[in-house]
Amino acid sequence: VIGPPRAAVVVVGSEILLDARQDTNGPFIEQALGGEGYACILRLIVGDHIGEIAAAIRTALSRAEIVIVSGGLGPTFDDLTREACADALGVRLERRADIEGVLRERLRRRGLTPPETVYRMADVLQGAEVLTNTVGSAPGQFVAGPPALALLPGVPAELKAMLPAEVLPRLRVRFACAPPLRTVLKIAGLYESEVEARVAPLMGAWTGLESTILAAPGEVTLILRAAANDAAALERARGDVRQALGEAIYAEADEGIEIAVGRLLLARGLTLATAESCTAGMLGAMITSVPGSSAYYLGGAVAYSNRIKEGWLDVPPDLIAARGAVSEEAAASMARGVRRFSGSNLALAVTGVAGPGGGTLEKPVGRVHVAFAAPWGEAARTLNLPGDREMIRMRSCRAALDLLRREISRARGGAPA
Amino acid sequence: VIGPPRAAVVVVGSEILLDARQDTNGPFIEQALGGEGYACILRLIVGDHIGEIAAAIRTALSRAEIVIVSGGLGPTFDDLTREACADALGVRLERRADIEGVLRERLRRRGLTPPETVYRMADVLQGAEVLTNTVGSAPGQFVAGPPALALLPGVPAELKAMLPAEVLPRLRVRFACAPPLRTVLKIAGLYESEVEARVAPLMGAWTGLESTILAAPGEVTLILRAAANDAAALERARGDVRQALGEAIYAEADEGIEIAVGRLLLARGLTLATAESCTAGMLGAMITSVPGSSAYYLGGAVAYSNRIKEGWLDVPPDLIAARGAVSEEAAASMARGVRRFSGSNLALAVTGVAGPGGGTLEKPVGRVHVAFAAPWGEAARTLNLPGDREMIRMRSCRAALDLLRREISRARGGAPA
């Protein structure tokens, strides 16, 4: 085989195809295999149908040296992966007395007398190793191959425990493979096309590197990949990108801006409060999604109504009458007000038109003002954001955190203790 | 063919397999095809590799009567679906002068002179119909088959416009199929296992029906499916479920509880304010994710610090000293305070331990108090919620909205205008 070992993933679950349930097992397995240096080429998702599962496993085995199957190992009638796999491999299932004994004992202790069919969980493919499940009941199975084939339960907590503990070590002894090097740079304050325009001219000089640019509302992710023995090239490329993007890079790790901002606040010993109109709490929820954020975040106001803007945040009614609640002046006043009241060092405010209704010629949907207040000064930005209501709100939150990050960095040592 | 036509989806995009980007096109296509009555049996996800794309399309064509391919139709070197598809079908690509002319004119008007390779977007499979793309540049393609095969761009906005407008009508004239009947019931205030325990005994009497129970933090979804000519059976089953679950059913449509609550508030002409500690704005953000929510939502406080709880919400410092900020009394006081200050008819408050730190023997991680205040009375609930930080916070928000919903329903006509 030229290049790294190829891997394919088979995910079993009708609810994914019929009810639009998100498949989280596929991405988890692929990230783990990619981290080992294996090349994930294919994911197949099939329903709980024995013929389709068998066909998917056959396809996977024909394309890859490593096949991981998730789901369909439980005790109910629609758990059919064992039988489908026996069919695909042309081997028999053998009831394992030791596994059956453990299951019987466990069920007896819980006072349960389930139908005999639950002991299908003790049926193991001829020649397969049994993989221990420390989280749930259904054991996994491993066929050395080639191709190597692992069957894992579909319950995410069980899969996440068993893949690294039971499967990856068995693959490592079979497939010598140096994991590729990977760098993630996270960028705020630029659109994907702006990042692309600045990075594309650099790429000609990057031999042997792969790069990917991915966009989410208010953040861009740049991923650089190099072979295991090419750390120097990766480091050079990283330096090129740092120079091209400058302070737009908020992290050199795959993390949200709320994490980078939290670290910055902790390091400087600064506290933060928020005043939100159109985002209505989304900014506070994002900041506090980080465990330990109570060390720097004090809270604030969801100032949807003018009464809250005026009563709690001291936004002058005259200002709202003259400039409107959606204005840079209102945002600045909200930030000032929440800072004064909460006693925080720093404050952020957001006001805008998230849509789909409420837009005017003068203030269209997507017009958002973010404002920052600190003991050493104030700053504000007026944005015209694309996307639907939720995208505009998400972009607004990230733009506010980006403003905070840039203003703190700009202030350097100037921040008071 | 026995049963409904079988459909398979091929999603092209390396970022899904390599970078754990979520595939949203697959579920969108499957939901649309399912709504037509077609049976989705398989989704294949492949990277931007011509051989893998061709193999995936061949597999899909061998298993299904309908194949939809998304992605890889753009202008760049890694857009390879056209060529892969020609290979899989054993037909040639023909450059279409009319499409090329439109592309040239459009790019000229924008002052762009891209490399000639962008006109690969005008390459069409021999015998294929061209599908109009009103959102972006890359046209789609449709091969009548059998099997029927449609190629669509991977940009979600383009795919979402083109599938219903260009593909489904062409499938309808080829595949006569009565869409199945489907009922969705959304449930709050019960765990999945509780719903299952109440619904399972009913299922014996449901002949010819399929049911699925799905869980997300703080909500359970029950889906009932019947053949097109079996409306009566579906109606009977729906009645059975209504009786078994009662007021735990918050909607008979696939919608979040924030939408059901918004409708209820609008219908009663009631306004709402919120005071949030551990959810820190997530509840406000959830309520305002509904367009038009400013008609009933006034805002409130993110009361992360005690200073905000005491200063804005009038929570007595003695109460916090005696009972703690995480207590049913504190939640009730926060709801009362935000209602009084904002001038709203109703108020919700949330306080709790979201973890992972901060738990004690007396108040462990997952302990959450939600409180409701209205002119006609108050109510509160103490919850012990499972899951990680984000799950506990999400469950807390939905539990608060569920408390509101039940208390308004209980009050019936008793609510003041």
Side-chain angles (χ1 to χ4, degrees), chain B residues 21-225:
Chain B
R21 294 304 132 167
Q22 202 184 319
D23 164 31
T24 58
N25 288 342
F28 177 81
I29 296 168
E30 287 146 14
Q31 286 297 292
L33 295 177
E36 299 288 312
Y38 310 142
C40 290
I41 56 152
L42 175 64
R43 187 196 316 164
L44 298 116
I45 304 175
V46 285
D48 304 311
H49 182 286
I50 189 164
E52 295 304 331
I53 302 170
I57 292 175
R58 260 185 227 112
T59 299
L61 290 171
S62 75
R63 312 271 332 149
E65 288 89 52
I66 297 168
V67 174
I68 313 283
V69 185
S70 105
L73 296 185
T76 67
F77 69 92
D78 58 356
D79 289 306
L80 298 166
T81 297
R82 282 173 296 259
E83 290 78 0
C85 200
D87 182 26
L89 291 175
V91 302
R92 287 194 317 166
L93 287 170
E94 293 165 343
R95 177 69 50 97
R96 287 277 286 263
D98 52 337
I99 302 174
E100 185 177 340
V102 170
L103 288 171
R104 282 196 190 274
E105 175 57 21
R106 193 180 303 169
L107 290 162
R108 196 190 56 76
R109 261 187 281 124
R110 291 168 56 192
L112 300 172
T113 50
E116 281 298 303
T117 48
V118 308
Y119 300 109
R120 288 168 54 241
M121 285 198 288
D123 290 346
V124 175
L125 296 162
Q126 233 175 356
E129 286 180 79
V130 173
L131 306 179
T132 307
N133 183 344
T134 56
V135 180
S137 294
Q141 304 191 25
F142 185 81
V143 179
L149 171 71
L151 308 187
L152 291 172
V155 179
E158 301 177 20
L159 178 97
K160 282 180 185 179
M162 292 174 72
L163 183 69
E166 297 286 323
V167 179
L168 298 185
R170 285 177 170 82
L171 294 178
R172 278 181 208 127
V173 301
R174 281 164 185 85
F175 301 95
C177 188
L181 302 172
R182 182 172 182 267
T183 278
V184 178
L185 295 115
K186 299 292 297 258
I187 297 138
L190 294 175
Y191 286 106
E192 181 183 19
S193 56
E194 298 173 298
V195 173
E196 209 151 358
R198 295 204 204 171
V199 171
L202 311 172
M203 290 183 177
W206 298 348
T207 47
L209 286 190
E210 273 181 43
S211 66
T212 310
I213 297 176
L214 301 166
E219 64 168 44
V220 176
T221 305
L222 174 63
I223 302 172
L224 303 174
R225 283 193 187 80

Side-chain angles (χ1 to χ4, degrees), chain A residues 6 18-19 21 31 43 45 52 63 214 223 225 280 284-285 288 298-300 302 305 307 341 389 393, chain B residues 6 18-19 21 31 43 45 52 63 214 223 225 280 284-285 288 298-300 302 305 307 341 389 393:
Chain A
R6 297 149 53 95
L18 296 184
D19 302 308
R21 294 303 130 170
Q31 286 296 293
R43 186 197 316 163
I45 303 175
E52 296 303 331
R63 312 268 336 146
L214 301 167
I223 302 171
R225 284 194 186 77
T288 56
L298 303 183
V302 177
S305 70
R307 175 161 171 176
F341 179 81
R389 182 178 178 87
R393 288 166 21 118
Chain B
R6 296 148 55 96
L18 295 183
D19 302 308
R21 294 304 132 167
Q31 286 297 292
R43 187 196 316 164
I45 304 175
E52 295 304 331
R63 312 271 332 149
L214 301 166
I223 302 172
R225 283 193 187 80
T288 56
L298 303 183
V302 178
S305 70
R307 176 161 170 175
F341 179 80
R389 181 176 178 87
R393 289 170 14 121

Side-chain angles (χ1 to χ4, degrees), chain A residues 251-283:
Chain A
E252 300 199 1
D254 199 357
E255 63 184 22
I257 190 166
E258 65 278 8
I259 293 176
V261 162
R263 207 165 39 226
L264 194 58
L265 292 170
L266 267 185
R268 307 280 173 116
L270 294 167
T271 58
L272 173 66
T274 53
E276 305 181 59
S277 182
C278 64
T279 51
M282 190 185 268
L283 177 57

